[in-house]
Amino acid sequence: DQQVKQNSPSLSVQEGRISILNCDYTNSMFDYFLWYKKYPAEGPTFLISISSIKDKNEDGRFTVFLNKSAKHLSLHIVPSQPGDSAVYFCAASTLSSWGKLQFGAGTQVVVTP
Amino acid sequence: ETGVTQSPTHLIKTRGQQVTLRCSSQSGHNTVSWYQQALGQGPQFIFQYYREEENGRGNFPPRFSGLQFPNYSSELNVNALELDDSALYLCASSRGQQGSNTEAFFGQGTRLTVV
């Protein structure tokens, strides 16, 4: 039962442009969402998170938007840089199961010159 | 402040054998979670340890077991290895507290191959 879904397995974007990664979830009890970036042969690196009481959180080039009614969140990366080429995972948890993350399948981002 | 470290980084085992993977949590973190990541998939939650006690388990059979030590480091043990156990095993630590969410920080993983 996949409760967190990333329907785009890959995304190609030009350097300097915006990357938009999408994530949908089915469990309305999720109240904390995170994005991780993963390079080959490394563990996931935390990027940014958002609590369900907010609809936007920004950290430098990264902004996460949360639409609770649509059970949808997105990650915007502006401007995209070659070092952003990686697999991006969306993850979610509930307050009662804090720290136990459910992940999407990931989106491979390739930033081209 | 040291990050999360896992050992070994790679391991090859034969079907039916047993394996122990190790994780040192980040300084100040009292919660360790283990995940299995199969090729092309996202990490799947195995179980979590909070202050040396198991605090939740995912959909994994009992042959997956774990421990957390007083210094909050942790072990993942897998008995009777099956070919499908071949995966990247990730450990994540966090500063856990009941009723609050916080980000988890991952180690580099242990790549287990069962032949």
Side-chain angles (χ1 to χ4, degrees):
Chain A
D1 178 24
Q2 192 73 12
Q3 298 187 35
V4 178
K5 297 178 184 178
Q6 294 176 257
N7 293 319
S8 298
S10 63
L11 173 70
S12 183
V13 63
Q14 265 191 319
E15 183 178 358
R17 306 293 289 268
I18 183 171
S19 294
I20 300 177
L21 291 84
N22 294 304
C23 178
D24 297 297
Y25 61 95
T26 57
N27 187 346
S28 57
M29 299 300 290
F30 285 145
D31 52 19
Y32 189 61
F33 304 89
L34 310 90
W35 285 94
Y36 285 85
K37 176 170 78 172
K38 188 178 184 300
Y39 295 119
E42 293 185 14
T45 302
F46 170 74
L47 275 178
I48 192 169
S49 63
I50 187 166
S51 163
S52 60
I53 62 172
K54 294 185 173 183
D55 53 21
K56 178 182 173 182
N57 190 26
E58 202 168 347
D59 184 0
R61 297 186 298 115
F62 303 92
T63 303
V64 56
F65 296 92
L66 175 62
N67 182 333
K68 290 186 288 294
S69 61
K71 295 192 180 68
H72 176 84
L73 65 157
S74 61
L75 174 68
H76 292 206
I77 307 173
V78 182
S80 298
Q81 300 173 353
D84 296 332
S85 296
V87 178
Y88 289 78
F89 292 99
C90 167
S93 70
T94 68
L95 206 57
S96 61
S97 64
W98 52 274
K100 307 174 189 80
L101 302 175
Q102 295 210 33
F103 282 84
T107 297
Q108 172 78 59
V109 172
V110 176
V111 180
T112 57
Chain B
E1 182 178 275
T2 56
V4 180
T5 57
Q6 292 185 242
S7 62
T9 53
H10 295 85
L11 202 51
I12 300 175
K13 287 286 190 178
T14 303
R15 189 172 49 182
Q17 284 188 314
Q18 178 265 345
V19 69
T20 297
L21 310 181
R22 294 179 174 83
C23 172
S24 293
S25 59
Q26 188 163 314
S27 175
H29 288 183
N30 57 12
T31 302
V32 172
S33 302
W34 286 91
Y35 293 82
Q36 180 195 67
Q37 186 181 12
L39 208 59
Q41 297 182 23
Q44 298 291 313
F45 174 74
I46 303 175
F47 43 57
Q48 181 187 78
Y49 280 84
Y50 171 64
R51 295 183 175 177
E52 302 179 59
E53 304 245 344
E54 187 178 291
N55 183 46
R57 188 179 183 93
N59 190 24
F60 281 82
R63 58 189 185 84
F64 286 77
S65 63
L67 280 175
Q68 188 179 31
F69 299 100
N71 66 354
Y72 301 129
S73 65
S74 177
E75 283 183 357
L76 163 66
N77 298 291
V78 187
N79 292 322
L81 283 166
E82 301 176 359
L83 297 178
D84 284 349
D85 295 334
S86 295
L88 180 68
Y89 288 84
L90 295 162
C91 166
S93 77
S94 57
R95 193 174 288 116
Q97 183 178 349
Q98 291 282 2
S100 73
N101 272 307
T102 182
E103 58 267 23
F105 295 89
F106 284 82
Q108 82 280 14
T110 294
R111 171 70 62 188
L112 173 65
T113 303
V114 182
V115 296

